[in-house]
């Protein structure tokens, strides 16, 4: 079987992109890059490496203003695996709204929970008033129904 790099999250996640970037360094001179093994949790990444289903694992260790992720720190403490390298991934977020909606008109922001957590301070500094925050459990790149079904300027909903 093809060697793999295990990563936490979906194929669109920051870990998947980091694993793909790392794999490109392991495939010189036109050789095939290692495959990727998507794991639902960081614990599953550790298990994949320890059971030899993958030869490397990529997990988020620190996440923006949230700091070091306690689950990954605990896994590192409780397992023989160690950090062998670091990949820095910078993400840019966009706050989008319908047509002529301005920042002053935004009344509600909808986004995935992890994105809202990462952008909390930025949103508070960007928006001039307190707004409702609504979590959306969709896939990366998918727009929530509350945003797509609103007519232009209807409820001044912005999506993150």
């Amino acid at each position: 079987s093809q060697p793999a790099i295990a990563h936490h999250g979906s194929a669109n996640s920051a870990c998947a992109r980091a694993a793909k970037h790392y794999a490109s360094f392991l495939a010189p001179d036109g050789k095939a890059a290692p495959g990727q093994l998507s794991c639902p949790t960081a614990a599953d990444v550790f298990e994949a490496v320890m059971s030899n289903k993958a030869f490397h694992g990529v997990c988020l260790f620190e996440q923006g203003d949230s700091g070091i992720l306690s689950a990954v720190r605990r896994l590192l403490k409780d397992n023989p695996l160690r950090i062998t390298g670091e990949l820095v991934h910078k993400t840019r977020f966009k706050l989008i709204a319908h047509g002529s909606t301005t920042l002053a008109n935004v009344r509600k922001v909808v986004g995935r929970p992890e994105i809202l957590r990462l952008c909390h301070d930025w949103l508070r500094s960007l928006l001039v008033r307190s707004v409702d925050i609504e979590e959306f459990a969709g896939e990366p790149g998918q727009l929530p129904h509350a945003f797509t079904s609103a007519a232009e300027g209807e409820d001044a909903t912005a999506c993150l």
Side-chain angles (χ1 to χ4, degrees), residues 23-145:
S24 69
F25 293 108
L26 302 175
D29 301 326
K31 291 186 178 182
Q36 292 189 29
L37 176 62
S38 181
C39 299
T41 68
D44 293 326
V45 172
F46 276 66
E47 177 58 33
V49 174
M50 292 190 311
S51 66
N52 292 321
K53 292 178 186 168
F55 67 96
H56 281 288
V58 177
C59 291
L60 286 178
F61 185 68
E62 185 173 0
Q63 192 169 28
D65 293 338
S66 302
I68 295 174
L69 301 175
S70 60
V72 176
R73 180 177 29 194
R74 191 170 35 258
L75 285 164
L76 285 166
K77 180 181 172 199
D78 295 343
N79 291 286
L81 300 179
R82 297 292 167 246
I83 296 172
T84 60
E86 177 182 30
L87 296 169
V88 176
H89 174 78
K90 294 186 180 192
T91 302
R92 294 180 185 200
F93 299 102
K94 295 178 184 175
L95 186 64
I96 59 173
H98 290 284
S100 61
T101 301
T102 66
L103 287 175
N105 294 340
V106 172
R107 304 274 188 274
K108 177 170 54 173
V109 174
V110 182
R112 294 192 344 265
E114 64 275 14
I115 303 302
L116 291 169
R117 186 176 59 251
L118 281 173
C119 297
H120 182 267
D121 293 341
W122 175 72
L123 278 174
R124 294 292 176 220
S125 68
L126 183 67
L127 301 171
V128 292
R129 76 174 87 204
S130 180
V131 298
D132 291 331
I133 303 290
E134 182 179 311
E135 292 184 355
F136 164 65
E139 286 295 313
Q142 181 183 6
L143 293 175
H145 180 72

